[in-house]
Amino acid sequence: MAKKSKIAANERRKAVVLRYAERRAALKEIIRTGAPQERDQAMRELARQPRDASATRVRNRDSVDGRPRGHLTKFGLSRVRFREMAHRGELPGITKASW
């Protein structure tokens, strides 16, 4: 189980990313296609935004207990939790392989 404060901080980051996503996309488009003067201004404005506005700051965590490592994106679980739930038969369509 991850610390509650780490899970809460990650949730705050997700909210900040959503709040700034549209503006960041517009600035990045200006940086990609704009004139040199517009590009410089857009880069400065992008740098002034909060660090947590960047989507790369959000950590993938287990949806059940918040474990940050071994995250399986398709299921939203960590490898440990995935294995436990699969053995208990709580994940439809998942069977243990043997060959």
Side-chain angles (χ1 to χ4, degrees), residues 39-51:
R39 190 175 295 157
D40 290 339
Q41 186 179 2
M43 287 171 65
R44 280 193 296 275
E45 189 175 340
L46 192 63
R48 277 196 310 264
Q49 289 187 345
R51 281 187 179 184

Side-chain angles (χ1 to χ4, degrees), residues 30-42:
I30 291 170
I31 291 169
R32 193 174 68 79
T33 62
Q37 234 176 1
E38 291 175 335
R39 190 175 295 157
D40 290 339
Q41 186 179 2

